[in-house]
Structure formats: structure tokens, C-alpha cells
């Protein structure tokens, strides 16, 4: 029987901490693995299980923490690994938690299902904030497969949250909670909202797989992504993933929310305007160490069958239609230049005019719109086991990701599909991860941002992706520069200690320092936040923007 009729796994939700646990081993091996490409996330559980089996006798698994990571990941995907995974020593009531990671499960050739609770409870103290941040999230997650041919996943939570001051300001300015959709006011200063993810996936042929559902996607190897990030609300999509030899072609067609209807500053009932987003990425391995990806997308305010062709050049189609839509081009790469070291990067192009791009006709053209990322990862840095270093640089020119037509900006539910800052910024990131004990992970993230802000809603200096690039600009065609407008500088550090009390149940202790200076501030604005949280099958919140 052909291989594709066997195990079919749902996708593992993209969590930077979780994915780093296994991506680091590919870097230590110094070559690309042959099972999956990491340039497009999330990844399937059955493929991850196959990769974990390949690590069982690999010399990159050295320390106690490495052995723990392999056991933890294998237990989390136990139905897809060949290596032995243990049952719980003391199941609850002899019926629940027979497996450490599943509240309840049923496993057979015809039907496989795993059910677990979702919980997040956190509280903190922030200086100069009259409402200290806290959050309560509870829900359920279900995954499984039918006949080992169709995988499925569903996730549902309900949350009440009081955010740190800078996140609250971000939400107020955008009219949207980052990563979420419809929200309600909660106790004047808080937010209440539901979150839901869900998909089904199945093979069309041995090498072509389809996925249909609501989720986020992420392109690249970095902490950020210009091409497609996981910062916005989940959206409906149909995805085809074709992997043949060293090539992987990913096609996605989506329907997104272009805007929301507001009443007294809050989302209200109504038929929200929609937008349609199509993209494809071709990734391929060059030799054993280098992977290249080429990306193209189109955003339009109405569904168009011309963009359903999975192998057409979108820019040609868009020009043939009279150039009515927003087309983005881009590329990404990773190079495992040496065992334990990786270089990676991205280039996102919004508009290109040769003489202006290279400054022949003038400097700082408004049509000179692009984003650039460059990064470096060093695993087991300085020969210290499980000490991993990552540095990353991101920058985007003013007016990148904006559009002149309504509902065609590079956004979904009023938040960027790219970097959280949008455009008109420059950013440096340093990330240090250390796992001194198998169950203890320490993460330090240091961030420096320079960006230009608008003095009022009517003015557009090119940073807010929701604004029309032809309206409200106080600058001419030339002379545009990063940081124009009200110049802001942000320095932020985030130190998190995470301890796994039991499988996928963590206690987190976090300290955040943030300092912002700006031309419209009389003195620097400083915040310190200390938080303690408990999470169960929940992704650790990211407030680094």
C-alpha cells in the first residue's frame, strides 16, 4: 500500500519555544533534513514524528536537556513516533491522563482522538499603571485523524485580559487586540474575547497535501517575518502543499477581514468588509546546507478566479487586469554554514522603480518600498550545552505594505500580516535561550527599535499599514527616510524563566523593562513589569513589540 495512505497528522500550532526545541538539532547537524522544510510553518505532526525518530541515535543528542527534549517532543506526538514513549505511572481515576499529554484519548486504525484542557492564568505588577496586567484563559484542544488519512484539529478558548500599558495602547490605536478578532470591553480597561482555530488536512496524492481551516501561517526562519507573520487574527484558508524531491511549493488562498464596524469605539454587529489574499512560496534545497524560498502574494478587495491558478505569476495576472490589486514579491533563505551556526534572511518588495530604487533619479523615493531581514543563530554557543544565541535585524521603508485602494493593505482584522511595527522602522533583536536543567528554560530577549509615528490620525508618514499611501502624506516623492515623522526609540528587555511542572504544564516568571523616548515626550517613558503565570497547553504570550 502506498506510503501516503498511512499516518496523516494534524499541524502543530506555531509556537517559537516549541519549534526551537527541534529546529536547533537541524542546525547542529549542519545540513537540511530531508523530511520537511522549515521555511513555511506550521508543520505536520506525522512529519515531525518521523524527524524525531531520525534523531534517536544522532550524536547531536548529547546532554540531559537534549534527551529530555527528544522524549518530551516524542511524547507530545506519540502516535507518530516509532521510539518507545511511556504511559503515565498514576493515571487520574485510572481513566484520565493515561498518557502524560492527553486528558483522554482513543487510538485505533479507524479513529484517533486526543483531548486536553487549555488554561492560562497570569498576574503581574507594572509601574505607573493603575490597572495591573492579568489574564484568565480557559478552553479545550482536540486533535486526531480518521482512517489515518484525514487529520483534524480544533482549539477554542475564552479570555479576559488586562494588558501591559504599551499593548493596551497598541490595541486602542489599531482598534484590535493583536492576534485576535472580535472583542468586548471588560471592566472598563480590559478586553474579553473568544479564540478559535480549526482545520482538516488530507493527501490528494502521495506528494500533494491539502489543508482547509482557520489558522495563522508563518514564513521564514526569524523571530519576525515580513513575508507572512503570525501576528494577526486567524483567517480562513485553503492550502496546497506539494513536496517533490528537493522542492516544496506552498499555495494558500484566504479570505480575511478587511475592517470592523465600530460603535462608541468598540466592534459591533454587522457584515464586516472582506478581502482576499493569495500567495505561493517555492522553497528548494541547494546542496545540503542552503535553502532558498521565493514568495509572491496578491491582496484584493474582491474574489478573483484569475488568482486561483497555483503556478501562475501573480504580477503578470494583476497587470493584465489593469493593476488594480496589491502584489508583493519576496525571497527568504537559510544557510547552515557550519554545524551549530545558521544565517537566514528575507527580502520583501512592495514596489520597484529601477532609477529610484538605486537613487539615480533621487534619494529616498516614496516608491522605494521594501523590508529586509538578516539573522544569525548559534546553537550550543561558545561550546556551552543548550545555550543558544540569535541576533536579528529588521527594517522596512516608509509606506511599505500600505496601498492606495481600500481594503488592500497588508493586514487582517486591523493588524499587520507582516512585522507588528508595520513599516518606517529599524529594529535589532538579541535572543538568548538557555536550558540548564531539562525542565527549566531561560529566555532573554533584548530589543532596540527606531520608528517614525504619525502626529495625528490625518497625517501619514508611512508606518501605519492601515492608511492609504496617497492620503495625508506631508512628504514629496523624494526625501523619505526611516524614522520620519515623530521619531521614537524603544529599548526593551524581557527575561522569562519557564519550568515544566508536568507535561505541557508550565509556570512562568517574567520581568520586562521598557523605555521609550520620543520627540513629543518631555522625558523618557519607562515601564517595568513583573509577572507570574501558569499555562497548560497554551502558547506563552509575546509582548515584544
Amino acid at each position: 500500500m502506498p506510503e501516503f495512505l498511512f499516518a496523516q497528522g494534524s499541524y502543530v500550532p506555531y509556537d517559537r519555544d516549541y519549534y526551537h526545541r527541534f529546529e536547533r538539532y537541524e542546525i547542529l547537524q549542519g545540513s537540511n533534513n530531508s523530511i520537511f522544510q522549515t521555511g513555511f510553518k506550521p508543520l505536520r505532526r506525522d512529519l515531525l514524528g518521523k524527524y524525531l525518530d531520525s534523531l534517536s541515535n544522532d550524536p547531536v543528542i548529547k546532554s540531559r536537556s537534549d534527551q529530555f527534549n527528544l522524549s518530551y517532543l516524542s511524547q507530545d506526538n506519540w502516535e507518530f513516533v516509532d521510539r518507545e514513549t511511556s504511559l503515565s505511572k498514576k493515571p487520574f481515576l485510572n481513566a484520565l491522563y493515561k498518557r502524560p499529554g492527553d486528558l483522554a484519548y482513543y487510538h485505533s486504525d479507524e479513529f484517533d482522538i486526543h483531548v486536553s484542557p487549555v488554561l492560562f492564568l497570569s498576574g503581574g505588577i507594572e509601574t505607573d499603571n493603575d490597572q495591573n496586567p492579568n489574564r484568565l484563559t480557559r478552553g479545550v484542544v482536540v486533535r486526531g485523524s480518521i482512517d489515518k488519512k484525514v487529520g483534524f484539529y480544533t482549539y477554542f478558548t475564552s479570555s479576559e485580559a488586562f494588558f501591559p500599558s504599551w499593548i493596551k495602547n497598541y490595541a486602542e490605536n489599531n482598534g484590535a487586540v493583536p492576534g485576535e478578532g472580535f472583542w468586548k470591553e471588560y471592566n472598563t480597561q480590559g478586553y474579553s474575547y473568544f479564540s478559535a482555530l480549526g482545520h482538516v488536512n488530507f493527501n490528494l496524492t502521495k506528494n500533494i497535501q491539502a489543508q482547509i481551516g482557520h489558522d495563522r501561517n508563518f514564513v521564514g526562519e526569524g523571530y519576525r517575518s515580513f513575508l507572512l507573520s503570525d501576528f494577526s487574527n486567524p483567517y480562513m484558508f485553503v492550502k496546497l502543499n506539494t513536496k517533490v524531491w528537493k522542492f516544496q511549493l506552498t499555495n494558500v488562498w484566504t479570505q480575511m477581514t478587511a475592517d470592523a464596524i465600530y460603535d462608541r469605539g468598540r466592534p459591533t454587529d454587522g457584515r464586516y468588509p472582506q478581502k482576499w489574499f493569495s500567495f505561493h512560496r517555492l522553497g528548494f534545497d541547494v546542496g545540503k546546507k542552503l535553502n532558498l524560498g521565493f514568495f509572491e502574494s496578491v491582496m484584493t478587495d474582491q474574489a478573483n478566479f484569475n488568482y486561483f491558478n497555483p503556478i501562475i505569476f501573480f504580477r503578470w495576472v494583476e497587470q493584465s487586469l489593469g493593476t488594480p490589486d496589491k502584489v508583493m514579491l519576496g525571497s527568504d533563505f537559510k544557510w547552515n554554514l557550519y554545524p551549530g551556526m545558521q544565517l537566514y534572511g528575507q527580502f520583501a518588495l512592495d514596489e520597484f522603480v529601477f532609477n529610484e530604487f538605486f537613487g539615480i533619479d533621487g534619494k529616498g523615493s516614496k516608491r522605494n518600498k521594501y523590508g529586509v531581514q538578516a539573522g544569525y543563530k548559534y546553537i550550543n554557543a561558545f561550546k556551552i550545552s543548550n545555550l543558544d544565541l540569535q541576533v536579528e535585524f529588521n527594517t522596512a521603508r516608509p509606506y511599505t505594505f500600505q496601498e492606495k485602494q481600500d481594503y488592500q493593505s497588508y493586514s487582517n482584522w486591523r493588524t499587520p500580516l507582516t512585522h507588528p511595527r508595520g513599516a518606517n522602522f529599524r529594529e535589532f533583536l538579541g535572543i538568548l535561550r538557555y536550558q540548564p536543567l531539562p525542565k527549566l528554560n531561560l529566555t532573554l530577549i533584548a530589543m532596540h527599535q527606531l520608528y517614525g509615528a504619525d502626529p495625528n490620525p490625518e497625517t501619514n508618514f508611512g508606518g501605519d499599514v492601515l492608511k492609504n499611501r496617497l492620503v495625508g502624506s506631508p512628504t514629496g516623492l523624494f526625501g523619505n527616510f526611516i524614522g520620519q515623522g515623530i521619531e521614537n526609540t524603544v529599548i526593551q528587555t524581557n527575561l522569562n524563566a519557564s519550568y515544566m511542572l508536568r507535561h505541557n504544564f508550565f509556570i512562568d516568571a517574567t520581568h520586562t523593562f521598557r523605555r521609550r523616548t520620543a520627540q513629543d515626550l518631555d522625558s523618557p517613558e519607562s515601564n517595568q513589569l513583573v509577572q507570574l503565570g501558569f499555562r497548560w497547553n497554551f502558547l506563552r504570550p509575546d509582548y515584544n513589540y
Side-chain angles (χ1 to χ4, degrees):
M1 186 174 290
E3 181 182 346
F4 74 89
L5 292 182
F6 287 93
Q8 177 66 240
S10 61
Y11 283 72
V12 184
Y14 181 48
D15 175 356
R16 286 164 176 76
D17 294 337
Y18 189 97
Y19 274 61
H20 179 75
R21 286 180 186 264
F22 62 84
E23 289 182 340
R24 66 189 303 274
Y25 296 118
E26 183 184 71
I27 301 174
L28 285 172
Q29 290 171 326
S31 60
N32 300 324
N33 80 82
S34 61
I35 301 171
F36 53 76
Q37 295 187 15
T38 59
F40 194 97
K41 306 173 181 77
L43 302 170
R44 275 167 41 196
R45 286 187 182 273
D46 55 312
L47 297 181
L48 175 56
K50 187 176 180 180
Y51 178 64
L52 296 174
D53 282 334
S54 74
L55 294 176
S56 294
N57 297 310
D58 197 291
V60 297
I61 306 297
K62 295 180 179 179
S63 67
R64 289 176 55 232
S65 293
D66 291 329
Q67 294 167 1
F68 173 83
N69 289 339
L70 183 58
S71 297
Y72 161 72
L73 293 167
S74 299
Q75 185 64 256
D76 210 50
N77 303 277
W78 63 267
E79 68 270 36
F80 298 114
V81 296
D82 293 331
R83 67 192 309 268
E84 183 178 353
T85 54
S86 61
L87 297 170
S88 298
K89 295 180 180 179
K90 296 181 179 180
F92 184 67
L93 300 177
N94 291 322
L96 303 178
Y97 280 107
K98 293 183 178 180
R99 288 274 182 177
D102 300 323
L103 170 67
Y105 74 91
Y106 177 80
H107 183 65
S108 71
D109 289 341
E110 291 78 25
F111 185 55
D112 176 66
I113 187 170
H114 308 254
V115 182
S116 293
V118 176
L119 177 67
F120 180 61
L121 175 63
S122 71
I125 299 174
E126 182 186 0
T127 55
D128 299 325
N129 189 344
D130 55 357
Q131 173 59 64
N132 286 321
N134 62 77
R135 178 170 171 178
L136 173 62
T137 297
R138 60 276 187 204
V140 63
V141 58
V142 180
R143 77 169 195 267
S145 63
I146 300 173
D147 295 329
K148 293 188 176 181
K149 297 179 183 179
V150 178
F152 61 87
Y153 173 89
T154 186
Y155 168 99
F156 174 81
T157 61
S158 175
S159 299
E160 293 82 41
F162 294 96
F163 293 117
S165 57
W166 65 95
I167 305 301
K168 186 173 185 294
N169 291 338
Y170 191 105
E172 290 177 345
N173 290 335
N174 286 63
V177 176
E180 305 296 339
F182 188 90
W183 56 270
K184 296 181 179 180
E185 187 180 81
Y186 178 71
N187 285 355
T188 308
Q189 298 188 54
Y191 296 83
S192 174
Y193 50 88
F194 295 122
S195 301
L197 304 172
H199 68 256
V200 295
N201 54 287
F202 47 90
N203 280 314
L204 299 177
T205 71
K206 180 180 180 180
N207 296 308
I208 303 177
Q209 202 214 38
Q211 182 188 11
I212 304 171
H214 286 77
D215 207 337
R216 308 175 185 90
N217 294 277
F218 188 91
V219 175
E221 308 294 335
Y223 187 78
R224 314 285 198 193
S225 177
F226 282 118
L227 304 181
L228 186 63
S229 78
D230 58 339
F231 187 67
S232 77
N233 185 42
Y235 42 83
M236 174 64 189
F237 66 88
V238 176
K239 177 166 68 177
L240 292 181
N241 196 58
T242 305
K243 189 175 188 302
V244 179
W245 191 43
K246 296 183 178 182
F247 295 89
Q248 178 171 304
L249 175 64
T250 303
N251 294 275
V252 181
W253 298 273
T254 83
Q255 181 177 344
M256 297 181 174
T257 303
D259 206 345
I261 301 172
Y262 290 86
D263 180 24
R264 290 170 290 180
R266 298 184 295 274
T268 189
D269 295 343
R271 186 176 295 280
Y272 292 176
Q274 299 297 295
K275 56 170 49 172
W276 285 261
F277 181 60
S278 304
F279 70 89
H280 41 226
R281 176 188 180 272
L282 176 64
F284 58 94
D285 291 336
V286 180
K288 296 182 178 180
K289 295 179 177 292
L290 179 65
N291 181 270
L292 299 176
F294 294 93
F295 173 94
E296 186 186 23
S297 72
V298 59
M299 182 74 76
T300 179
D301 58 353
Q302 55 185 304
N304 193 320
F305 282 103
N306 285 277
Y307 298 127
F308 289 176
N309 189 333
I311 55 174
I312 198 67
F313 186 50
F314 285 156
R315 180 56 177 157
W316 176 85
V317 173
E318 195 250 356
Q319 281 186 325
S320 299
L321 297 173
T323 317
D325 303 315
K326 181 177 186 63
V327 173
M328 294 282 299
L329 303 174
S331 62
D332 63 277
F333 80 93
K334 71 173 182 182
W335 179 29
N336 297 312
L337 71 163
Y338 185 80
M341 296 185 184
Q342 181 186 85
L343 295 177
Y344 64 90
Q346 291 185 355
F347 178 70
L349 182 63
D350 194 339
E351 189 171 3
F352 179 79
V353 178
F354 185 88
N355 282 6
E356 296 174 11
F357 189 89
F358 292 102
I360 298 172
D361 290 344
K363 303 284 187 182
S365 171
K366 187 176 293 185
R367 293 184 293 191
N368 185 15
K369 298 182 294 180
Y370 60 84
V372 175
Q373 177 186 91
Y376 168 74
K377 295 178 182 179
Y378 184 13
I379 308 301
N380 290 344
F382 314 112
K383 298 184 179 180
I384 301 175
S385 294
N386 302 99
L387 176 69
D388 300 338
L389 173 66
Q390 180 178 356
V391 292
E392 184 172 298
F393 170 74
N394 298 292
T395 186
R397 291 274 305 163
Y399 304 101
T400 306
F401 308 114
Q402 292 184 355
E403 193 43 67
K404 59 185 177 182
Q405 305 291 341
D406 291 340
Y407 309 143
Q408 291 189 7
S409 66
Y410 210 67
S411 63
N412 170 47
W413 230 106
R414 300 190 60 81
T415 48
L417 285 168
T418 176
H419 192 288
R421 186 53 63 193
N424 191 18
F425 76 92
R426 188 178 296 117
E427 175 188 66
F428 293 91
L429 289 169
I431 305 171
L432 196 65
R433 295 181 174 95
Y434 186 40
Q435 193 175 3
L437 302 173
K439 294 187 176 184
L440 176 64
N441 283 272
L442 305 176
T443 304
L444 174 64
I445 300 178
M447 178 183 76
H448 181 279
Q449 287 182 342
L450 180 146
Y451 65 92
D454 298 330
N456 53 62
E458 292 75 30
T459 305
N460 179 16
F461 277 101
D464 186 349
V465 301
L466 300 177
K467 291 185 175 181
N468 188 310
R469 65 180 174 87
L470 299 183
V471 177
S473 173
T475 66
L477 176 60
F478 297 103
N480 294 274
F481 60 91
I482 292 175
Q484 66 184 18
I486 299 176
E487 185 177 294
N488 285 252
T489 301
V490 172
I491 297 174
Q492 181 170 315
T493 61
N494 181 282
L495 176 62
N496 181 80
S498 182
Y499 188 84
M500 189 186 300
L501 295 174
R502 57 166 299 158
H503 190 92
N504 278 339
F505 186 85
F506 299 86
I507 179 171
D508 298 321
T510 304
H511 177 269
T512 301
F513 170 78
R514 180 182 176 88
R515 184 178 187 269
R516 181 174 74 93
T517 58
Q519 292 174 328
D520 61 344
L521 292 177
D522 294 332
S523 60
E525 181 182 86
S526 296
N527 305 82
Q528 292 203 54
L529 170 65
V530 178
Q531 277 192 310
L532 183 67
F534 299 88
R535 56 187 171 96
W536 200 359
N537 299 305
F538 188 78
L539 279 63
R540 182 163 57 88
D542 178 2
Y543 298 140
N544 298 306
Y545 49 91

